Amino acid sequence: MAHIVIMGAGIGGMPAAYELRAKLDASHRITVVNATDYFQFVPSNPWVAVGWRKRDDVILPVKPYLEKKGIQFIASRVDKIDAAGKTLTLANEEMLAYDYLIITTGPKLAFDEVPGAGPMGGFTHSICSVDHAEQTWAAYQEFLKNPGPVIIGAMPGASCFGPAYEFAFILDADLRKRKLRHKVPITFVTSEPYIGHLGLGGVGDSKSMLESDFRNHDIKWVTNAKTTQVEDGMLHTSELNAKGEVEKEHLLPFTFAMMLPAFRGVDAVAGVEGLCNPRGFVQIDAHQRSKAFESIFSAGVCVAIPPVEATPVPTGAPKTGYMIETMVTAIVQNIVADIAGKPATAKGSWNAICLADMGDTGAAFVALPQIPPRNVNWFKKGKWVHLAKIAFEKYFIHKMKAGTSEPIYEKYVLKALGIERLEPPADKP
Ligand SMILES: Cc1cc2nc3c(=O)[nH]c(=O)nc-3n(C[C@H](O)[C@H](O)[C@H](O)COP(=O)(O)OP(=O)(O)OC[C@H]3O[C@@H](n4cnc5c(N)ncnc54)[C@H](O)[C@@H]3O)c2cc1C
């Protein structure tokens, strides 16, 4: 009988555990190992950073919910994967053998790539984890006592731009509510070649719509921004032209800054010889299976996907919720098939669907496939997206408590957006 170990209890790992449990009988063991003893709903972290959510609204203890479903849980970081010997070494010194390993470890936040960046000894804040978002909320409350210029954006090599836009609009909305917006010049500084690129080469009319929204919300911007250094209260950015030459050097003063970092793979995963690309992302085939190790599957932010296009300042392609959900479903189907001695042929849907909150309204986009030209390519705005995002948060957290295995995007979001199931293009990845 098989033992399946899932590394990482996040947006990918938790649904993977529940879906597997629903498909495999009790003779097969499922174990989830996570660096913390809680699950966090990462997409809500921008709200935590402005006090619109509290920590306890967006996290839940994992153990009781998984154990109720007959899934074992170990709260410990995995420090080493012996891929040939199919064994994990945990930080608590336990060794854990597996037949199948599902890697859903999300990103390592590469603040170290820009001197002075990040919340650990640097000068920019982060919304990437609930811990960071709480620190940002504390700093924001201090900032409100003596407001000044704000910088929000994304560092060179970043791939996850949506939350930077969300945070800019959320902060703008929060400051307006507090009647302090007039004291806060906001500049959006991004490695994207233009506003609304989103690591996707734009989606529908995202460029003009987001530029227009920035203008309407008095948010200035610098694109093609290669941020090179951050000092206390000063961001150093080289603005590049299309040839990749420096067009202008910017010295941007700030009182409060939040910059999304580039991502890499986490150490335990990046350290396995032959498993990953140079940035530590797991190299997988069209069936989410490691190209090097048959027993390893992977989904979520930790997998390697190519950038949509070359940009003057490097950018990556985002890995968002729908894509992650379908990657997980494909892994579950493939492991179940493999155990039964059948070929593992299921594929994820390499498409981007995103609901981005903008404080009191929101923007939704669908990019199918990720690389243009596309079969579906739209970007729409409205209060309904803000409400849909709140409903999505509530439902996802409910699902993590209830242990249900139904895919949320497939069942609800696609229907709400009026979209048929998005089949993976035949030639992807
Ligand atoms: C701030 C933010 C907002 C986002 N908002 C959206 C959104 O609105 N919509 C959307 O579609 N996408 C969004 N994304 C993108 C994406 O959906 C999320 O990043 C999502 O959390 C990725 O899921 P994951 O399972 O890959 O990683 P995660 O959810 O980050 O889970 C990874 C888990 O692995 C654990 N882990 C890491 N290393 C180890 C180790 N060595 N051993 C054991 N456990 C380990 C971590 O503790 C964590 O629990 C957002 C991303 C960010 C950063």
Side-chain angles (χ1 to χ4, degrees):
M1 293 297 109
H3 181 207
I4 301 114
V5 174
I6 300 167
M7 242 178 102
I11 298 285
M14 288 289 285
Y18 288 136
E19 270 192 67
L20 263 180
R21 190 70 287 169
K23 291 264 160 54
L24 292 174
D25 67 54
S27 64
H28 301 286
R29 262 174 76 204
I30 300 169
T31 306
V32 176
V33 191
N34 194 59
T36 61
D37 61 2
Y38 58 85
F39 160 83
Q40 62 176 293
F41 186 68
V42 172
S44 294
N45 287 335
W47 288 330
V48 174
V50 291
W52 293 3
R53 292 285 184 283
K54 294 282 166 247
R55 182 185 185 87
D56 286 347
D57 300 328
V58 303
I59 69 166
L60 56 120
V62 175
K63 198 176 172 74
Y65 297 109
L66 288 179
E67 285 187 350
K68 210 163 59 184
K69 287 278 166 182
I71 300 164
Q72 269 183 287
F73 176 70
I74 303 172
S76 175
R77 197 183 60 229
V78 174
D79 278 346
K80 190 164 177 277
I81 304 170
D82 173 0
K86 297 192 193 174
T87 306
L88 305 180
T89 308
L90 313 189
N92 67 6
E93 294 181 358
E94 238 179 278
M95 306 283 278
L96 193 64
Y98 62 84
D99 298 300
Y100 296 93
L101 177 66
I102 303 178
I103 300 177
T104 47
T105 40
K108 175 174 176 174
L109 308 171
F111 292 114
D112 57 315
E113 292 176 2
V114 178
M120 316 286 280
F123 305 103
T124 60
H125 297 291
S126 162
I127 50 170
C128 289
S129 70
V130 68
D131 290 343
H132 290 173
E134 276 197 309
Q135 289 167 24
T136 302
W137 168 226
Y140 180 56
Q141 290 172 86
E142 283 305 305
F143 163 83
L144 290 172
K145 294 177 192 161
N146 189 15
V150 162
I151 294 177
I152 296 170
M155 291 295 189
S159 51
C160 186
F161 296 98
Y165 285 93
E166 282 191 310
F167 192 61
F169 287 114
I170 288 169
L171 201 78
D172 168 79
D174 193 72
L175 289 166
R176 275 188 284 119
K177 271 188 217 154
R178 294 174 190 274
K179 308 223 180 325
L180 286 174
R181 181 66 177 88
H182 65 293
K183 294 188 174 178
V184 183
I186 300 181
T187 309
F188 193 80
V189 179
T190 179
S191 47
E192 296 157 281
Y194 50 85
I195 291 303
H197 181 277
L198 298 166
L200 291 164
V203 183
D205 214 7
S206 57
K207 178 176 188 291
S208 48
M209 285 176 79
L210 285 170
E211 280 183 354
S212 164
D213 277 314
F214 271 180
R215 274 190 292 271
N216 284 324
H217 289 255
D218 288 320
I219 298 172
K220 296 194 179 334
W221 64 82
V222 181
T223 53
N224 278 321
K226 187 178 172 194
T227 298
T228 51
Q229 192 192 344
V230 191
E231 293 173 312
D232 192 4
M234 189 69 74
L235 190 101
H236 298 243
T237 283
S238 309
E239 184 180 347
L240 305 190
N241 63 20
K243 290 185 199 154
E245 300 157 344
V246 176
E247 178 84 13
K248 191 174 173 191
E249 295 287 3
H250 295 265
L251 273 182
L252 300 167
F254 66 84
T255 308
F256 181 90
M258 195 299 293
M259 293 289 284
L260 284 178
F263 291 165
R264 290 200 297 262
V266 304
D267 293 345
V269 175
V272 181
E273 183 136 9
L275 181 68
C276 296
N277 73 7
R279 286 196 69 83
F281 294 118
V282 182
Q283 293 187 297
I284 48 166
D285 66 14
H287 311 293
Q288 305 298 134
R289 194 170 213 159
S290 158
K291 290 183 175 173
F293 302 98
E294 273 216 317
S295 53
I296 297 182
F297 290 80
S298 186
V301 170
C302 61
V303 301
I305 63 173
V308 162
E309 61 185 3
T311 48
V313 182
T315 55
K319 296 148 209 169
T320 47
Y322 177 59
M323 192 194 260
I324 298 172
E325 178 181 285
T326 67
M327 287 180 181
V328 163
T329 301
I331 291 177
V332 170
Q333 288 171 359
N334 286 332
I335 290 179
V336 170
D338 209 73
I339 290 173
K342 296 183 185 151
T345 54
K347 287 183 178 181
S349 161
W350 289 59
N351 312 301
I353 295 185
C354 200
L355 306 175
D357 185 46
M358 294 167 74
D360 39 17
T361 179
F365 62 80
V366 181
L368 160 68
Q370 287 239 110
I371 298 176
R374 302 187 172 113
N375 297 320
V376 183
N377 192 38
W378 65 254
F379 188 94
K380 288 189 182 147
K381 246 194 75 186
K383 178 127 185 129
W384 64 272
V385 185
H386 172 70
L387 299 173
K389 182 129 192 177
I390 294 170
F392 188 80
E393 173 203 48
K394 299 273 171 275
Y395 188 65
F396 199 102
I397 292 173
H398 160 77
K399 183 182 138 156
M400 293 306 101
K401 288 182 179 167
T404 51
S405 60
E406 64 188 10
I408 301 183
Y409 281 90
E410 282 288 330
K411 201 156 175 206
Y412 301 104
V413 181
L414 295 191
K415 263 195 202 136
L417 298 177
I419 298 167
E420 296 291 313
R421 186 186 194 275
L422 303 177
E423 291 301 333
D427 54 350
K428 292 281 174 302

